[in-house]
Amino acid sequence: MIRNARRLVAAAAGALIAASLLVATPASAATCSGHGCDGLDPIDTGCSANARNATNYPKYIMQGSTTLAVVELRWSETCKTNWGRISNRVSPHNTVQVHVYRSSPFATTDWYGGTGQQYYGDQLYGHNMTVCAVGKVTTSSGTTYTSDPLCA
């Protein structure tokens, strides 16, 4: 009787552990693949779950010696996609925007941004292709500064 009770407890504990693993696993399954990811939000599709920067260094948008914004090219190993991210470094009155493009086959995303601290744009499929991110800052006085392309 005691042996059966231990087996029942062990089986119940095993079932609870298995169930908790299912619940605790993040929903990182991508909802797109290949060129089907083009123009889609990397967070909404699950592609951002294991994202990292695609280059060793970002691009800086400068006004003299002042860093106005930082541009990064993000990479999803899961979806094989890239997207841009821009961080506003100076003024909440500056508008920052970012977009990505791919030369072959040609594709580009809309510019995304605003006056907040950080923005990211839509993604483009980039497996064995070059994808570039470009950022821009428009100051409150209307002057626009654009980064050089950041490509990987």
Side-chain angles (χ1 to χ4, degrees):
M1 177 96 159
I2 293 177
R3 183 180 297 173
N4 287 340
R6 285 184 186 163
R7 284 184 187 164
L8 183 59
V9 169
L16 285 174
I17 291 170
S20 71
L21 289 175
L22 291 174
V23 172
T25 302
S28 61
T31 60
C32 68
S33 63
H35 292 283
C37 293
D38 286 357
L40 299 179
D41 184 300
I43 292 175
D44 289 348
T45 60
C47 295
S48 68
N50 296 317
R52 62 175 173 77
N53 283 342
T55 62
N56 289 331
Y57 301 100
K59 288 286 183 178
Y60 298 95
I61 301 175
M62 306 293 292
Q63 180 181 32
S65 61
T66 302
T67 302
L68 298 176
V70 178
V71 179
E72 298 166 296
L73 180 65
R74 303 290 289 161
W75 168 253
S76 166
E77 183 64 36
T78 302
C79 298
K80 310 287 190 231
T81 56
N82 294 97
W83 61 92
R85 181 168 68 184
I86 190 165
S87 301
N88 189 351
R89 293 290 195 218
V90 176
S91 172
H93 304 292
N94 290 344
T95 299
V96 296
Q97 295 178 297
V98 66
H99 87 113
V100 292
Y101 66 89
R102 179 182 63 224
S103 296
S104 180
F106 180 77
T108 187
T109 64
D110 291 333
W111 288 91
Y112 288 91
T115 57
Q117 189 172 7
Q118 189 175 78
Y119 295 91
Y120 68 94
D122 285 341
Q123 60 192 333
L124 290 177
Y125 182 62
H127 185 63
N128 293 326
M129 296 176 235
T130 300
V131 176
C132 302
V134 176
K136 69 180 175 181
V137 174
T138 304
T139 65
S140 56
S141 65
T143 304
T144 299
Y145 298 88
T146 305
S147 73
D148 290 331
L150 179 61
C151 303

